Amino acid sequence: MSNTQNSSLRPSRMKRRLSRDGEDSPSSCEGPTDSCKRVRQPTVDSGDLPPDWACLPQEILLHIFQFLPLLDRAFASQVCRGWNEAFHMPELWRCFEFELNQPASSYLKATHPDLIKQIIKRHSNHLQYVSFKVDSSTESAEAACDILSQLVNCSLKTLGLISTARPSFMELPKSHFISALTVVFVNSKSLSSLKIDDTPVDDPSLKVLVANNSDTLKLLKMSSCPHVSPAGILCVADQCHGLRELALNYHLLSDELLLALSSEKHVHLEHLRIDVVSENPGQQFHTIKKSSWDAMVRHSPKFNLVMYFFLYEDEFGPFFRDEIPVTHLYFGRSVSKEVLGRVGMNCPRLVELVVCANGLRPLDEELIRIAERCQHLSAIGLGECEVSCSAFVEFVKMCGRRLSQLSIMEEVLIPDHKYSLDEIHWEVSKHLGRVWFPDMMPTW
Amino acid sequence: MSVSSISSVSSVHWFRKGLRLHDNPALLEAARGSHTLRCVYFLDPWFAGASNRGVNRWRFLLQCLEDLDSSLRKLNSCLFVIRGQPANIFPRLFKEWKVSRLTFECDSEPFGKERDAAIKKLASEAGVEVIVKTSHTLHDLDRITELNGGQPPLTYKRFQTLVSSMEPPEPPLEPLTRELLGNCVTPISANHRERYGVPLLDELGFDTESLDPAVWPGGESEALMRLERHFGPDSNTAWKENFERPKMSSSPLLASPLGLSPYLRFGCLSCRLFYYKLTELHNKVKKNASPSISLYDKLLWREFFYTAASNNPRFDRMEGNPICIRIPWDRNPEALAKWAEAKTGFPWIDAIMTQLRQEGWIHHLARHAVACFLTRGDLWISWEEGMKVFEELLLDADWSVNAGSWLSHSCSSFFQQFFHCYCPVGFGRRIDPNGDFIRRYLPVLRDFPAKFIYDPWNAPDDVQRAAKCVIGVDYPKPMVNHAEASRLNIERMRQIYQQLSRYRGLSLLATVPSNHMEVVGANESQGATAPPTCWRTHSSTSSHTGVRREQQGASRARHSITRQRHALSHRTSPYTIQSDLTERSHEFAIPKQPGRLIWPAGGGTRRSEKEEAGLNRCHGDDGPSSSSSAPKAQDDEKMQEDAEGVAFCS
């Protein structure tokens, strides 16, 4: 809490109270407890009169305000001058989420332009945790950049640029976006978290980021930033030794990057998220050496490797040939039985597996193998993947209670001689030790 | 007038849904002991033909009315189709016909309830007795809600449990017959046809020239014929097609002459008759086994959505709908039009939308496919827009069922396994590998080899030329890159659900409420009887104290369910800075106030019970005018309006 702010506000409040209560001992106004007593006094004196809310001590007011959404605070601020002053206390302006939506492209309301103006004028130096939610219109992305470029006298700790629909930052002229973003990079100096997925950020701007924030940066999420090169991200990894979380696309992942992240100077990495996206069918993907992954695991034994695959079936060639320390695996498109077989063989650290679809043949053996070899697996979700009921039950039996999440659509479970669909929920519930049902979509 | 009505009962039966003579308790009430009976249907020509929209639906309706009229004529009665709005016209009819009794089928939908309340008032002012009977649903929906502690159940499983604890639906009643009518007559004036006849489609302004014959002819007679067909020589096929649970592969995508859903929607077929016939059919086909509740899935899903919607006038919207998650959908009229007009460039999607437009019906897996594509799968367009298109085109789009299904398909409510995304290429290929369905509805693609028929843009130029269809010229290129779109959309969904679950780890699945957990949550918040599923609750009490804390506020949650859901909104915390990712399993708990601030100071991420209690007291003490509960509704309103105010801890 900022004491200076409190003390600077107190006199005016006191004055008002004095004039109203006819009291003349300003010394009694020290500390919240005293103030509280004072506040109650009039009620006692005047019997039925309501308490004088204008005299709530600033600390208490602040505490209450912290739990109110902005709009409620704004209403409250119209009650009296004291509440209005409380409304502007820096503590209440550390976090702000700008929502930039256009009526033509979004159903949601936008942050009012007057509020934005007021924040820039009165509170920009208080902002520390800022995010921008931007709809699919270029206009909104531009508005976000406009605000960013006015944040010259603030020191942000976190910044998030979030496209809520189509990625609209990508439609801005790159230079425009970059110059706005670097305003923050240059002025902030102590950024710890930065989320800039789906933006035109580029290597030179990352260099500016590193030059100003290398000691503080802990989290960097930049999935699908096409203007960043492997060298650009390597520069970040080389110099930001406190980096704990990183999200990027596979094309930025290199052996060098993994080695840089596992260097002695570097703190242990906690999360690494890799999106493997195919830009054009038949794309060739490079491989990462097993030795580089091994170095990562040695350096950060507990790190989580999250991989999202959005590939065509025939693009999986280079993946899962060797052991890989992946912990969370998500297949967004159809994936073959063969690849899932390799997953079972080469992903000993696997904790979560989500398969959206596979080919036409049931996944029975693959699942059993995964249950056998992925000893940490605790969550699995299967979309359009047919599995026979008995293989599914066997899988659940092998994993047992460590399966905390188990999700499969009812229509992909193939009844067989052992279990019907009505029996399977009992059988699975038994092995899980809790009631379980397959997922169901409504039938019309 | 009230005196004369005792001596001579003059009844009006008002048809809305329930366009049938069989199992129509309100109609029987109208006939019972009355001297005259007039059956009316209100039709507002304003709603029709203005554009050629929804022509299949209007045709179906008029065919139902024709059929009703001709059945009534066999009983020496007839149908009075009245042009205009019931509220404007009933008072005049009451006088003109000296009406003493008005009967109609109970309408559980909010709009219908409101309309009926107004008419009941008009009737009582005119001294007309009103009799309302439930027959559009299997059960009295208020009973189900009551059994669940005053709130409609939020999961289908819970609903099934409630329904199986109830007595079976009442058996269907006999149809209206001459015997039942007895001395009751219908006064028919000479100019009946002009004044009250069933209009023709072109009289309503539709262009009927280019209209193909109806794949789904409307009417009670057709419905009963279809029902009987199930008991013909091909019972087994009928069974497989209609009542075996649908499989991902080899589902019949074409309209079946056995299909019944549009007839249920318009009430040409009584759901209770269907229910009992289904039991009979089951016993015939599956001789030994006794039917499990899943046999009635189709009927029960319908019933489920009717129940869920019965007290929620905003069931068909996102804003202000307490059970709908707010998702920042894209507003994109061009993309929406491409979807609705079958120009997405994905043959599977376009074929389905063509079938829908031409015939008024699509298979339910096809519904999953196009609904997922429009919303969370590819286009990120609001489910409300899709629902409106279905409303216009789909013959069986009951308001409740249509909205409920769209809520589910878009993962806005009821169904939340958002990672199950249907691929607009692979899903269809699985069901119909050869692409015959596409060839039928998109003749332009007829000559593509099966290998490319689901993704013709990937076919080499010579293949496209040989098929006499160049992609981008004769058939559109795909409007989105599905891989890219699903990457973006899954991530957005994940963030939204992460915010809802207050789960801070990396797991995708942990952000998804299990269908069973929701039952627990829903019940806790409603203070209903213990669900049949408490194992998991136990396991979570013991080990996940953090989560339990969120669930403790059962009693408060009861009044704040609306508030929570509003607040769910789209205030996704931008990122997980303190991602306490762990090996311990995270379970989903319905957050008490997910939209509230997460405060960097004070250690906790949510206010404690005590703090909140104190806060409520503050409100309560505010003055005599505002009780502590009164501002709640306002509060919800505000929270919803309040677009600002989220934060994240550092």
Side-chain angles (χ1 to χ4, degrees), chain A residues 63-64 66-72 75 91 95-97 99 103-112 115 129-131 133 136 158-160 162-167 193 195 198 219 221 224 245 271 273 275 277 281 304 306 308 310 328 330 333 352-354 356-360 379-384 386 404-405 407 409-413 415 421-422 433-435 437-444, chain B residues 156-157 245-249 292 294 297-298 301 305 318-319 326 328-332 364-365 367-368 376 380 382 385 390 394 396 401-402 405 408-409 415 417 419-423 427 430 458 482-484 486-488 490-492 494-495 506-510 515-516 532-533 535-536 570-572 574-577 579 581 585-586 596-597 599 607 611 615 635 638 641-644 646-648 650:
Chain A
H63 191 73
I64 295 171
Q66 285 185 339
F67 293 104
L68 293 177
L70 180 63
L71 202 73
D72 290 351
F75 286 136
E91 286 84 351
C95 308
F96 199 80
E97 181 177 70
E99 294 193 62
S105 48
S106 174
Y107 298 85
L108 303 178
K109 288 203 177 109
T111 308
H112 198 282
L115 179 63
Y129 312 97
V130 174
S131 57
K133 278 191 173 168
S136 62
T158 72
L159 172 67
I162 297 147
S163 308
T164 59
R166 278 169 291 157
S193 299
K195 181 179 156 69
D198 296 292
L219 177 149
K221 294 196 171 179
S224 294
E245 295 186 36
H271 310 319
R273 171 174 165 163
D275 283 22
V277 187
N304 289 286
V306 185
Y308 280 62
F310 295 92
H328 298 73
Y330 178 90
R333 308 198 56 168
E352 169 169 287
L353 174 66
V354 177
C356 285
N358 83 305
L360 291 167
I380 187 160
L382 301 172
E384 296 168 44
E386 298 202 325
S404 57
Q405 261 90 35
S407 173
M409 293 295 289
E410 188 176 53
E411 60 250 45
V412 299
L413 285 166
L421 279 178
D422 292 319
R434 57 183 153 87
V435 172
F437 290 104
D439 300 328
M440 285 173 90
M441 271 283 193
T443 35
W444 288 20
Chain B
Y156 182 64
K157 282 292 166 209
R245 293 184 211 205
K247 285 265 141 305
M248 280 281 179
S249 49
S292 87
S294 60
D297 266 351
K298 276 190 187 177
W301 273 109
F305 288 136
M318 177 170 80
E319 290 297 334
R326 289 178 81 225
W329 303 113
D330 192 17
R331 212 192 266 272
N332 187 340
H364 92 257
L365 289 181
R367 299 174 195 207
H368 296 188
R376 65 193 170 87
W380 200 252
S382 168
E385 305 293 346
F390 272 30
L394 189 66
D396 60 24
V401 182
N402 191 24
S405 303
S408 312
H409 289 314
F415 180 87
Q417 321 308 112
F419 59 89
H420 291 295
C421 257
Y422 295 104
C423 171
F427 183 41
R430 197 180 315 274
N458 284 332
H482 172 69
E484 180 61 9
S486 54
R487 177 187 73 80
L488 287 165
I490 280 283
E491 187 56 22
R492 283 176 204 129
R494 191 183 69 84
Q495 286 187 15
L506 290 176
S507 169
L508 181 78
L509 295 172
N515 47 17
H516 146 71
T533 50
W535 291 347
R536 187 155 169 182
H570 73 295
R571 294 174 185 170
T572 314
Y575 37 101
T576 36
I577 293 156
S579 4
L581 171 106
S585 64
H586 283 258
R596 291 291 174 144
L597 305 180
W599 281 92
R607 73 174 99 157
E611 277 170 331
L615 202 65
D635 209 29
K638 281 186 218 156
E641 277 170 23
D642 163 33
E644 285 82 29
V646 91
F648 44 93
S650 66

Side-chain angles (χ1 to χ4, degrees), chain A residues 73-141:
Chain A
R73 298 208 302 266
F75 286 136
S77 76
Q78 292 165 8
V79 168
C80 62
R81 188 167 300 172
W83 286 24
N84 188 268
E85 278 156 1
F87 178 78
H88 289 291
M89 284 169 79
E91 286 84 351
L92 298 171
W93 297 97
R94 283 187 189 147
C95 308
F96 199 80
E97 181 177 70
F98 293 91
E99 294 193 62
L100 302 165
N101 300 315
Q102 308 300 321
S105 48
S106 174
Y107 298 85
L108 303 178
K109 288 203 177 109
T111 308
H112 198 282
D114 291 347
L115 179 63
I116 295 177
K117 265 186 221 150
Q118 198 184 36
I119 288 173
I120 291 173
K121 207 171 108 196
R122 294 191 65 167
H123 298 296
S124 68
N125 55 334
H126 305 143
L127 293 173
Q128 293 182 355
Y129 312 97
V130 174
S131 57
F132 292 83
K133 278 191 173 168
V134 169
D135 71 3
S136 62
S137 76
T138 319
E139 245 176 302
S140 301

Side-chain angles (χ1 to χ4, degrees), chain B residues 500-518:
Chain B
L500 296 186
S501 63
R502 295 197 152 264
Y503 164 73
R504 288 278 167 267
L506 290 176
S507 169
L508 181 78
L509 295 172
T511 63
V512 182
S514 86
N515 47 17
H516 146 71
M517 255 329 247
E518 242 246 332

Side-chain angles (χ1 to χ4, degrees), chain A residues 155-157 184-192 194 207-218 239-240:
Chain A
S155 186
L156 297 189
K157 292 198 170 131
V184 175
F185 289 173
V186 170
N187 290 294
S188 283
K189 310 274 190 210
S190 56
L191 265 177
S192 79
L194 182 64
K207 281 218 172 81
V208 179
L209 169 72
V210 170
N212 292 283
N213 301 277
S214 64
D215 294 341
T216 49
L217 194 69
K218 288 186 183 151
Q239 306 197 26
C240 301

Side-chain angles (χ1 to χ4, degrees), chain A residues 213-258:
Chain A
N213 301 277
S214 64
D215 294 341
T216 49
L217 194 69
K218 288 186 183 151
L219 177 149
L220 177 61
K221 294 196 171 179
M222 36 171 285
S223 298
S224 294
C225 295
H227 302 295
V228 175
S229 77
I233 188 69
L234 189 59
C235 155
V236 177
D238 270 336
Q239 306 197 26
C240 301
H241 296 140
L243 200 62
R244 293 169 193 277
E245 295 186 36
L246 183 60
L248 39 79
N249 281 40
Y250 189 74
H251 72 89
L252 296 185
L253 187 69
S254 61
D255 294 306
E256 293 76 24
L257 180 69
L258 291 180

Side-chain angles (χ1 to χ4, degrees), chain B residues 205-227:
Chain B
F206 285 103
D207 168 24
T208 50
E209 294 278 302
S210 55
L211 210 55
D212 292 324
V215 176
W216 299 87
E220 178 185 12
S221 314
E222 174 74 21
L224 294 174
M225 215 158 66
R226 283 170 176 250
L227 191 63

